[in-house]
Amino acid sequence: MIEAQAKLPGLERIRARFLDMLVERLGDIDRLCDPELSGLGPREALEQVQAILHKIAGTAGTLGMTQLGDTARNGENTIISYLGTGKPGNEAVYRSVAEFIILAEETLDAED
Amino acid sequence: MRILAVDDDPIIIELLSELLTVIGQHDVETAESAIDALKIVQNPAHKRFDCILLDIQMPGMTGIELAAKLREMPDYARIPILMITAMSDKTYIDRAFAAGATDYITKPFDIDEVRFRIKSAEQRLKDAGGMTRKIFSVNKLRQQTPATEKVALNEPVTIFDVDGVIDYFAFENYVTQLSRSSMFGSTVFGIAIREIDKLYRESTAFGFECLITDTSEAISDCLKPNNFLIAYAGNGTFLCVLEGGARPDLERLVDAINLTLHQMDLYFCDGRKLDFRVCAGQPQRLIWRAGKNAMEAVIAAHESAESEALKREKMLNDFWITEQAG
């Protein structure tokens, strides 16, 4: 987190809310990755995962979680590419989402 | 400033409220969707906002669609509209500028960048009411002031209702903010109206306005279907950015624009036929020219187009002198 950002008085409060929402969002991604639970087709489910990752990528860095933001962005971009061109393939998409989930869980564990 | 921030992510909304209050003690109101934002700005009980921040990607109505709707409202025709976007959203950024955005802030936020962008918007609002001082519009109903006062020849003007034509200050923001990798494949060039001094002298305020708006329409029509943005920089010169690696064949483009202008069958207000031509300067590729370097390329494109216009007139003049002497 850069020094100027650290001086924002409300940042800790927003960071705490972000982490609360991260728990919810991980639950949403988990549900979306299971067709039986989500009841959605693969494309629609991936679009929703992409939207969640997009939001996390847009805020995590500002809150001092740069690596989490970058990993979310990578997942988002992989899904966009896959939905648009069929590349880099289904397996790569799920690997990029899994990388994000693992890092997010580690982040949450470190905060406890 | 009174600022309306619109984003569907509650964390972004909280961050913006915090940031904007800290960096300038701004009065911030928020909305979590474009529809909610429209309800707020359309509510007569609400005091007008001085600046609007819009997330580009929102479900339902996008920030780009909302920007276009706001520009149709007289209260929001000129104020700074800053888009909030991820760095990777280049095509969205292009569309946002075409819809009326004046600048953008990238996510994740860097507080110094947000401060700079907001201060720039505030300064522009103080100096010129948000956009260039004058606005020309193809749709005359949208114009805020009738064309009785003639705009200065060297003054940039905002032109509404022509595809791809944006405010000059927005054009500067667009070019200077693009990252080096986004510049790859972008070319900037100028199109200048020849004998603009003479045309300006002989035109009324309204006539000059029509001359500029008609020329912008001709340029816009001839640049389709490329991905482009155009701004009127004053002095009869238009600056164009062409995206997507398209290499402009400027000779052919200028011929097409001149033909289009000829077919428009234009007249001065006193009924005389308005017959004029444009010419192009040297194109400047923006590859690896981020920030100030990109602006230098824009200035070079501008100067090149204007000097080409002068050179053409001198050549024509010399030709007639030679003819008469012969």
Side-chain angles (χ1 to χ4, degrees):
Chain A
M1 201 182 320
I2 61 171
E3 196 183 338
Q5 244 132 323
K7 286 178 187 164
L8 267 184
L11 204 62
E12 274 312 309
R13 173 181 46 80
I14 300 169
R15 197 168 189 275
R17 188 168 178 209
F18 172 85
L19 291 169
D20 285 344
M21 288 184 73
L22 185 60
V23 175
E24 288 170 30
R25 285 166 168 173
L26 282 177
D28 289 342
I29 292 174
D30 196 34
R31 184 178 51 82
L32 288 164
C33 289
D34 184 337
E36 281 190 22
L37 283 176
S38 70
L40 298 173
R43 185 176 186 89
E44 203 181 339
L46 274 179
E47 281 171 351
Q48 291 196 19
V49 173
Q50 180 209 324
I52 294 170
L53 293 175
H54 176 79
K55 285 182 180 173
I56 293 166
T59 48
T62 315
L63 298 168
M65 292 168 269
T66 310
Q67 197 189 349
L68 185 70
D70 291 345
T71 312
R73 178 74 68 218
N74 179 52
E76 181 198 1
N77 289 338
T78 308
I79 295 173
I80 290 170
S81 172
Y82 176 69
L83 292 176
T85 66
K87 291 177 182 171
N90 197 35
E91 195 184 320
V93 168
Y94 281 95
R95 196 166 52 239
S96 70
V97 175
E99 275 171 21
F100 166 75
I101 290 171
I102 292 164
L103 185 62
E105 285 175 345
E106 285 172 3
T107 305
L108 289 167
D109 287 345
E111 293 290 327
D112 282 341
Chain B
M1 287 194 291
R2 244 177 81 68
I3 299 176
L4 176 63
V6 188
D7 199 304
D8 63 320
D9 184 349
I11 299 291
I12 290 281
I13 289 290
E14 279 197 51
L15 270 171
L16 279 175
S17 302
E18 192 71 33
L19 277 167
L20 295 170
T21 309
V22 169
I23 64 179
Q25 294 185 325
H26 298 291
D27 174 12
V28 184
E29 202 161 323
T30 62
E32 290 198 9
S33 74
I35 303 291
D36 287 349
L38 269 181
K39 281 180 192 159
I40 291 171
V41 297
Q42 285 168 341
N43 181 350
H46 260 86
K47 200 178 149 198
R48 195 182 79 116
F49 294 97
D50 303 310
C51 175
I52 296 185
L53 306 185
L54 295 179
D55 181 29
I56 290 187
Q57 289 169 273
M58 290 187 284
M61 187 189 292
T62 68
I64 296 171
E65 290 166 324
L66 178 57
K69 283 193 182 297
L70 288 167
R71 287 299 184 218
E72 287 171 6
M73 301 176 190
D75 274 353
Y76 296 101
R78 294 170 61 93
I79 64 151
I81 295 181
L82 282 70
M83 307 309 286
I84 305 165
T85 176
M87 290 290 276
S88 55
D89 295 342
K90 171 74 168 56
T91 50
Y92 292 114
I93 292 168
D94 293 351
R95 284 170 45 210
F97 273 89
T102 48
D103 204 352
Y104 64 94
I105 296 171
T106 51
K107 290 189 284 191
F109 299 134
D110 176 297
I111 190 168
D112 290 328
E113 189 208 343
V114 176
R115 181 186 283 121
F116 179 77
R117 294 284 145 208
I118 293 293
K119 278 202 178 299
S120 297
E122 197 170 17
Q123 194 58 48
R124 192 69 76 201
L125 198 67
K126 276 183 195 158
D127 293 346
M131 285 188 174
T132 53
R133 196 174 64 89
K134 278 278 187 180
I135 290 177
F136 291 172
S137 173
V138 175
N139 176 0
K140 301 297 172 202
L141 292 173
R142 276 187 56 173
Q143 215 151 307
Q144 290 181 314
T145 49
T148 49
E149 181 200 349
K150 200 171 182 178
V151 66
L153 176 59
N154 62 359
E155 192 175 336
V157 167
T158 304
I159 300 162
F160 279 151
D161 305 320
V162 182
D163 290 343
V165 180
I166 64 171
D167 171 61
Y168 177 71
F169 298 135
F171 187 90
E172 280 188 357
N173 288 333
Y174 173 80
V175 170
T176 53
Q177 274 227 75
L178 283 179
S179 67
R180 290 174 70 186
S181 57
S182 298
M183 288 292 183
F184 195 86
S186 301
T187 302
V188 63
F189 57 92
I191 300 280
I193 299 173
R194 290 162 56 178
E195 287 194 296
I196 188 66
D197 292 321
K198 184 167 172 278
L199 290 165
Y200 179 77
R201 275 197 310 275
E202 292 180 2
S203 302
T204 60
F206 179 70
F208 186 67
E209 181 183 318
C210 292
L211 173 76
I212 298 301
T213 50
D214 290 338
T215 308
S216 74
E217 276 193 291
I219 298 171
S220 173
D221 285 349
C222 294
L223 279 174
K224 287 171 188 165
N226 293 298
N227 188 13
F228 63 88
L229 289 174
I230 305 168
Y232 176 66
N235 237 12
T237 303
F238 297 82
L239 292 168
C240 314
V241 170
L242 208 55
E243 302 285 354
R247 298 281 184 89
D249 179 343
L250 289 182
E251 203 172 321
R252 186 178 284 186
L253 176 68
V254 164
D255 283 348
I257 296 167
N258 283 328
L259 180 63
T260 306
L261 287 167
H262 180 72
Q263 287 169 341
M264 281 176 161
D265 202 20
L266 305 170
Y267 291 86
F268 282 105
C269 290
D270 60 11
R272 281 177 300 140
K273 178 96 173 94
L274 178 55
D275 202 6
F276 66 98
R277 298 169 76 82
V278 300
C279 64
Q282 285 295 317
Q284 308 282 325
R285 292 187 69 203
L286 290 176
I287 183 169
W288 310 137
R289 281 170 172 263
K292 282 183 182 171
N293 288 337
M295 211 49 221
E296 282 169 14
V298 171
I299 292 164
H302 190 164
E303 287 174 350
S304 170
E306 290 195 359
S307 63
E308 183 65 20
L310 289 173
K311 194 173 94 186
R312 296 276 175 138
E313 292 322 309
K314 188 174 181 304
M315 276 165 60
L316 194 63
N317 208 23
D318 290 349
F319 173 78
W320 287 117
I321 290 169
T322 312
E323 279 285 294
Q324 282 171 344

